[in-house]
Amino acid sequence: MNLERRSHIGNEDFIKLNWLPVSDRVDQVTLCHGFKMHNNLAPKYMSEHFSPASNAHSYITRFRVSVNQSGEPCSDIKRYSLPGVKGFGQKTFAYQGCYLWNSLPQFVRDSTNVSPFKSNAKLHLLERP
C-alpha cells in the first residue's frame, strides 16, 4: 500500500488486505476463547459464567430451537443463555462472549479444531455488515 506518512487506513483498506478491523479482531479473539471454553480447552474459571441455553428452562422457544440443513427444527445444544445485564454489563466478556457465540452460524460452531474455527469465524466476521 503506497501511503503517505500519517495516512489514515480505513475499513476498506483492511478488507483489501483481508484483515479484520480492530473491533472485529477483538470479537474474533473473544470467539476463540468461547470455542476453547465450549470444548473444555480453557481454565474452569473462564467458563463458570457461561451456561448452555438448554439449562435455562425447558420451554421450546425460538432461541432454543434452530433449523438443521434439511430445514427441520432441532434443538441446538451449542448456544448459551445471555446474562441478564443492562448498560455497561453488556460490554463484559460474559455477555459479549455468549452474544457473539450465539450469532455464529451452526457450521462455525460445529468446528472440531481451533484452526478451522478461527478461519471460519474470520470469514463470518468479514461478511457481516
Side-chain angles (χ1 to χ4, degrees):
M1 297 181 62
N2 254 342
L3 298 175
E4 300 285 327
R5 287 184 61 199
R6 299 182 183 238
S7 294
H8 175 73
I9 299 174
N11 284 343
E12 310 84 37
D13 299 317
F14 281 110
I15 291 170
K16 286 179 193 174
L17 294 171
N18 202 24
W19 289 358
L20 288 172
V22 175
S23 61
D24 289 343
R25 177 72 176 117
V26 170
D27 290 348
Q28 184 189 25
V29 170
T30 302
L31 286 169
C32 288
H33 286 304
F35 175 82
K36 290 177 183 177
M37 286 184 294
H38 185 75
N39 291 298
N40 298 323
L41 301 171
K44 184 74 174 160
Y45 71 88
M46 287 182 73
S47 58
E48 61 189 23
H49 297 290
F50 288 73
S51 62
S54 58
N55 293 351
H57 53 74
S58 61
Y59 303 114
I60 302 299
T61 62
R62 288 179 289 178
F63 179 73
R64 289 201 47 206
V65 176
S66 64
V67 178
N68 62 15
Q69 292 176 348
S70 61
E72 300 171 2
C74 65
S75 180
D76 185 5
I77 59 171
K78 295 185 178 182
R79 294 174 67 113
Y80 291 104
S81 59
L82 293 174
V85 295
K86 294 180 182 176
F88 285 111
Q90 292 180 345
K91 295 184 185 292
T92 62
F93 174 71
Y95 184 87
Q96 283 296 313
C98 293
Y99 178 79
L100 291 169
W101 180 265
N102 292 341
S103 69
L104 288 175
Q106 186 67 39
F107 79 94
V108 179
R109 283 183 274 167
D110 288 340
S111 299
T112 57
N113 202 346
V114 176
S115 191
F117 176 81
K118 275 182 158 180
S119 62
N120 288 335
K122 179 180 177 181
L123 289 175
H124 171 70
L125 292 172
L126 281 172
E127 292 172 357
R128 74 178 180 179

